[in-house]
Amino acid sequence: FDGEMNATLAVNHVTTTGDSSHIGRLIIGQIHANDDEPIRIYYRKLKNNTLGSIYFAHEPRTGNEQWHEMIGSRSNSASNPSNGIALNEKFSYTIKVVGDTLTVTITRDGKADVVKTVNMATSGFNESGQYMYFKAGVYQANKSGDADDYAQVTFYALEKSHTTN
């Protein structure tokens, strides 16, 4: 199955306590397959930065996870990304799968689209019995922070579609 998910959202709050590798990091969209994730899109804003980064992980069924930076860096000590996304700033992402091609697009008013494409031909998701389950939401990626620390995202629009190839 091919598919596409379009989301318009704003990240309202990110965690500010816990392990430095987890602070300010959350998953805002993903595709699940049977056992692995073809994609997890992350938003991350570090405590001393005013803007956040966008990056994603591609997890093939065999081999190592692959990381793709789109806006800013995924580093635990990254400087403020010059083209980053502020808290409460509305933006959109599209995750599109056609055959073995996975394309992610970040769209913001007044800025050029940021697009990354991954060839999944050797990732193992094109084998019989694999499914592509598209998910949007806020998935807290910081389990080490204070009990009252939290993340919050507002979704303004969400559309998805699937077609058979």
Side-chain angles (χ1 to χ4, degrees), residues 65-77:
E65 211 163 39
Q66 303 163 11
W67 293 93
H68 301 271
E69 294 176 339
M70 296 189 71
I71 297 171
S73 169
R74 71 183 194 98
S75 167
N76 296 336
S77 58

Side-chain angles (χ1 to χ4, degrees), residues 22-91:
H22 294 188
I23 290 175
R25 182 180 74 161
L26 54 115
I27 298 166
I28 55 175
Q30 59 190 308
I31 299 174
H32 272 283
N34 299 41
D35 299 311
D36 301 293
E37 295 164 324
I39 186 171
R40 288 185 315 276
I41 299 178
Y42 290 83
Y43 173 90
R44 183 159 197 212
K45 191 190 94 48
L46 298 176
K47 279 199 300 191
N48 295 324
N49 293 347
T50 58
L51 302 173
S53 300
I54 300 279
Y55 57 91
F56 68 89
H58 171 64
E59 183 184 27
R61 291 182 59 216
T62 59
N64 295 326
E65 211 163 39
Q66 303 163 11
W67 293 93
H68 301 271
E69 294 176 339
M70 296 189 71
I71 297 171
S73 169
R74 71 183 194 98
S75 167
N76 296 336
S77 58
S79 59
N80 203 41
S82 61
N83 197 26
I85 298 175
L87 292 177
N88 298 310
E89 179 182 344
K90 198 182 281 190
F91 67 98

